[in-house]
mmCIF file of all heavy atoms in Angstrom:
data_model
loop_
_atom_site.group_PDB
_atom_site.id
_atom_site.type_symbol
_atom_site.label_atom_id
_atom_site.label_comp_id
_atom_site.label_asym_id
_atom_site.label_seq_id
_atom_site.Cartn_x
_atom_site.Cartn_y
_atom_site.Cartn_z
ATOM 1 N N GLN Y 1453 -54.383 -61.301 127.520
ATOM 2 C CA GLN Y 1453 -55.841 -61.394 127.612
ATOM 3 C C GLN Y 1453 -56.402 -60.213 128.363
ATOM 4 O O GLN Y 1453 -57.596 -60.082 128.531
ATOM 5 C CB GLN Y 1453 -56.221 -62.666 128.369
ATOM 6 C CG GLN Y 1453 -55.670 -63.897 127.729
ATOM 7 C CD GLN Y 1453 -56.281 -65.150 128.291
ATOM 8 O OE1 GLN Y 1453 -57.305 -65.100 128.950
ATOM 9 N NE2 GLN Y 1453 -55.670 -66.276 128.029
ATOM 10 N N HIS Y 1454 -55.523 -59.364 128.873
ATOM 11 C CA HIS Y 1454 -55.954 -58.278 129.744
ATOM 12 C C HIS Y 1454 -55.448 -56.965 129.183
ATOM 13 O O HIS Y 1454 -54.594 -56.941 128.300
ATOM 14 C CB HIS Y 1454 -55.378 -58.500 131.133
ATOM 15 C CG HIS Y 1454 -53.937 -58.922 131.093
ATOM 16 N ND1 HIS Y 1454 -53.539 -60.233 131.165
ATOM 17 C CD2 HIS Y 1454 -52.813 -58.199 130.909
ATOM 18 C CE1 HIS Y 1454 -52.228 -60.300 131.043
ATOM 19 N NE2 HIS Y 1454 -51.756 -59.085 130.889
ATOM 20 N N LEU Y 1455 -55.954 -55.907 129.742
ATOM 21 C CA LEU Y 1455 -55.460 -54.575 129.403
ATOM 22 C C LEU Y 1455 -54.070 -54.414 129.999
ATOM 23 O O LEU Y 1455 -53.815 -54.866 131.107
ATOM 24 C CB LEU Y 1455 -56.403 -53.547 130.039
ATOM 25 C CG LEU Y 1455 -56.747 -52.323 129.220
ATOM 26 C CD1 LEU Y 1455 -57.527 -52.757 128.005
ATOM 27 C CD2 LEU Y 1455 -57.570 -51.381 130.058
ATOM 28 N N GLY Y 1456 -53.153 -53.795 129.298
ATOM 29 C CA GLY Y 1456 -51.826 -53.547 129.851
ATOM 30 C C GLY Y 1456 -50.774 -54.429 129.213
ATOM 31 O O GLY Y 1456 -50.933 -54.918 128.100
ATOM 32 N N VAL Y 1457 -49.696 -54.648 129.937
ATOM 33 C CA VAL Y 1457 -48.553 -55.362 129.388
ATOM 34 C C VAL Y 1457 -48.869 -56.861 129.317
ATOM 35 O O VAL Y 1457 -49.390 -57.420 130.277
ATOM 36 C CB VAL Y 1457 -47.311 -55.132 130.289
ATOM 37 C CG1 VAL Y 1457 -46.056 -55.631 129.607
ATOM 38 C CG2 VAL Y 1457 -47.192 -53.672 130.667
ATOM 39 N N PRO Y 1458 -48.547 -57.518 128.191
ATOM 40 C CA PRO Y 1458 -48.794 -58.959 128.103
ATOM 41 C C PRO Y 1458 -47.973 -59.724 129.145
ATOM 42 O O PRO Y 1458 -46.895 -59.282 129.546
ATOM 43 C CB PRO Y 1458 -48.326 -59.319 126.685
ATOM 44 C CG PRO Y 1458 -48.313 -58.049 125.936
ATOM 45 C CD PRO Y 1458 -48.039 -56.971 126.927
ATOM 46 N N ALA Y 1459 -48.506 -60.875 129.552
ATOM 47 C CA ALA Y 1459 -47.763 -61.713 130.491
ATOM 48 C C ALA Y 1459 -46.611 -62.391 129.748
ATOM 49 O O ALA Y 1459 -46.634 -62.532 128.533
ATOM 50 C CB ALA Y 1459 -48.690 -62.757 131.091
ATOM 51 N N VAL Y 1460 -45.590 -62.809 130.523
ATOM 52 C CA VAL Y 1460 -44.431 -63.455 129.921
ATOM 53 C C VAL Y 1460 -44.540 -64.962 130.160
ATOM 54 O O VAL Y 1460 -44.735 -65.387 131.304
ATOM 55 C CB VAL Y 1460 -43.134 -62.916 130.553
ATOM 56 C CG1 VAL Y 1460 -41.932 -63.584 129.934
ATOM 57 C CG2 VAL Y 1460 -43.075 -61.418 130.408
ATOM 58 N N PRO Y 1461 -44.446 -65.760 129.098
ATOM 59 C CA PRO Y 1461 -44.567 -67.209 129.298
ATOM 60 C C PRO Y 1461 -43.455 -67.720 130.211
ATOM 61 O O PRO Y 1461 -42.290 -67.321 130.066
ATOM 62 C CB PRO Y 1461 -44.412 -67.778 127.877
ATOM 63 C CG PRO Y 1461 -44.633 -66.643 126.957
ATOM 64 C CD PRO Y 1461 -44.249 -65.407 127.688
ATOM 65 N N VAL Y 1462 -43.799 -68.579 131.176
ATOM 66 C CA VAL Y 1462 -42.784 -69.132 132.074
ATOM 67 C C VAL Y 1462 -42.650 -70.643 131.877
ATOM 68 O O VAL Y 1462 -42.004 -71.313 132.662
ATOM 69 C CB VAL Y 1462 -43.085 -68.816 133.557
ATOM 70 C CG1 VAL Y 1462 -42.941 -67.333 133.818
ATOM 71 C CG2 VAL Y 1462 -44.477 -69.290 133.929
ATOM 72 N N VAL Y 1463 -43.283 -71.164 130.827
ATOM 73 C CA VAL Y 1463 -43.135 -72.593 130.534
ATOM 74 C C VAL Y 1463 -42.489 -72.726 129.154
ATOM 75 O O VAL Y 1463 -42.468 -71.784 128.370
ATOM 76 C CB VAL Y 1463 -44.491 -73.328 130.539
ATOM 77 C CG1 VAL Y 1463 -44.997 -73.505 131.954
ATOM 78 C CG2 VAL Y 1463 -45.505 -72.579 129.687
ATOM 79 N N GLU Y 1464 -41.946 -73.904 128.909
ATOM 80 C CA GLU Y 1464 -41.325 -74.150 127.616
ATOM 81 C C GLU Y 1464 -41.920 -75.398 126.995
ATOM 82 O O GLU Y 1464 -42.616 -76.169 127.665
ATOM 83 C CB GLU Y 1464 -39.816 -74.351 127.798
ATOM 84 C CG GLU Y 1464 -39.072 -73.039 127.901
ATOM 85 C CD GLU Y 1464 -37.631 -73.259 128.299
ATOM 86 O OE1 GLU Y 1464 -37.136 -74.394 128.151
ATOM 87 O OE2 GLU Y 1464 -37.014 -72.283 128.769
ATOM 88 N N LYS Y 1465 -41.594 -75.583 125.744
ATOM 89 C CA LYS Y 1465 -42.069 -76.758 125.015
ATOM 90 C C LYS Y 1465 -41.711 -78.025 125.791
ATOM 91 O O LYS Y 1465 -40.584 -78.192 126.253
ATOM 92 C CB LYS Y 1465 -41.396 -76.777 123.650
ATOM 93 C CG LYS Y 1465 -41.868 -77.867 122.750
ATOM 94 C CD LYS Y 1465 -41.238 -77.737 121.380
ATOM 95 C CE LYS Y 1465 -41.667 -78.925 120.517
ATOM 96 N NZ LYS Y 1465 -41.249 -78.758 119.135
ATOM 97 N N GLY Y 1466 -42.703 -78.906 125.967
ATOM 98 C CA GLY Y 1466 -42.449 -80.166 126.643
ATOM 99 C C GLY Y 1466 -42.734 -80.145 128.127
ATOM 100 O O GLY Y 1466 -42.799 -81.198 128.759
ATOM 101 N N ASP Y 1467 -42.912 -78.966 128.721
ATOM 102 C CA ASP Y 1467 -43.218 -78.893 130.152
ATOM 103 C C ASP Y 1467 -44.574 -79.515 130.429
ATOM 104 O O ASP Y 1467 -45.509 -79.372 129.644
ATOM 105 C CB ASP Y 1467 -43.230 -77.432 130.622
ATOM 106 C CG ASP Y 1467 -41.835 -76.882 130.791
ATOM 107 O OD1 ASP Y 1467 -40.883 -77.632 130.499
ATOM 108 O OD2 ASP Y 1467 -41.699 -75.702 131.181
ATOM 109 N N LYS Y 1468 -44.644 -80.195 131.594
ATOM 110 C CA LYS Y 1468 -45.940 -80.733 132.021
ATOM 111 C C LYS Y 1468 -46.657 -79.660 132.846
ATOM 112 O O LYS Y 1468 -46.037 -79.011 133.690
ATOM 113 C CB LYS Y 1468 -45.734 -81.968 132.895
ATOM 114 C CG LYS Y 1468 -45.161 -83.150 132.145
ATOM 115 C CD LYS Y 1468 -46.254 -83.933 131.439
ATOM 116 C CE LYS Y 1468 -45.617 -85.029 130.577
ATOM 117 N NZ LYS Y 1468 -46.536 -85.515 129.551
ATOM 118 N N VAL Y 1469 -47.926 -79.463 132.561
ATOM 119 C CA VAL Y 1469 -48.683 -78.510 133.369
ATOM 120 C C VAL Y 1469 -49.943 -79.181 133.889
ATOM 121 O O VAL Y 1469 -50.455 -80.133 133.302
ATOM 122 C CB VAL Y 1469 -49.073 -77.248 132.554
ATOM 123 C CG1 VAL Y 1469 -47.861 -76.407 132.216
ATOM 124 C CG2 VAL Y 1469 -49.833 -77.623 131.305
ATOM 125 N N LYS Y 1470 -50.438 -78.668 135.054
ATOM 126 C CA LYS Y 1470 -51.710 -79.120 135.581
ATOM 127 C C LYS Y 1470 -52.699 -77.954 135.489
ATOM 128 O O LYS Y 1470 -52.297 -76.821 135.227
ATOM 129 C CB LYS Y 1470 -51.545 -79.521 137.050
ATOM 130 C CG LYS Y 1470 -50.723 -80.776 137.262
ATOM 131 C CD LYS Y 1470 -50.631 -81.063 138.732
ATOM 132 C CE LYS Y 1470 -49.800 -82.303 138.995
ATOM 133 N NZ LYS Y 1470 -49.629 -82.527 140.433
ATOM 134 N N VAL Y 1471 -53.951 -78.237 135.747
ATOM 135 C CA VAL Y 1471 -54.938 -77.159 135.772
ATOM 136 C C VAL Y 1471 -54.571 -76.212 136.912
ATOM 137 O O VAL Y 1471 -54.448 -76.632 138.058
ATOM 138 C CB VAL Y 1471 -56.355 -77.719 135.993
ATOM 139 C CG1 VAL Y 1471 -57.358 -76.576 136.079
ATOM 140 C CG2 VAL Y 1471 -56.735 -78.669 134.882
ATOM 141 N N GLY Y 1472 -54.356 -74.952 136.581
ATOM 142 C CA GLY Y 1472 -54.022 -73.975 137.612
ATOM 143 C C GLY Y 1472 -52.539 -73.677 137.722
ATOM 144 O O GLY Y 1472 -52.132 -72.849 138.526
ATOM 145 N N THR Y 1473 -51.701 -74.359 136.922
ATOM 146 C CA THR Y 1473 -50.272 -74.065 136.951
ATOM 147 C C THR Y 1473 -50.026 -72.715 136.291
ATOM 148 O O THR Y 1473 -50.620 -72.413 135.250
ATOM 149 C CB THR Y 1473 -49.491 -75.144 136.163
ATOM 150 O OG1 THR Y 1473 -49.916 -76.418 136.617
ATOM 151 C CG2 THR Y 1473 -47.990 -74.980 136.354
ATOM 152 N N LEU Y 1474 -49.136 -71.931 136.896
ATOM 153 C CA LEU Y 1474 -48.815 -70.628 136.323
ATOM 154 C C LEU Y 1474 -48.058 -70.835 135.019
ATOM 155 O O LEU Y 1474 -47.036 -71.520 134.986
ATOM 156 C CB LEU Y 1474 -47.957 -69.830 137.314
ATOM 157 C CG LEU Y 1474 -47.650 -68.392 136.917
ATOM 158 C CD1 LEU Y 1474 -48.876 -67.523 137.101
ATOM 159 C CD2 LEU Y 1474 -46.483 -67.844 137.720
#
Side-chain angles (χ1 to χ4, degrees):
Chain Y
Q1453 303 192 15
H1454 44 263
L1455 220 65
V1457 191
V1460 180
V1462 292
V1463 286
E1464 278 171 19
K1465 185 175 176 172
D1467 283 2
K1468 293 276 174 199
V1469 291
K1470 291 180 181 176
V1471 177
T1473 310
L1474 186 74

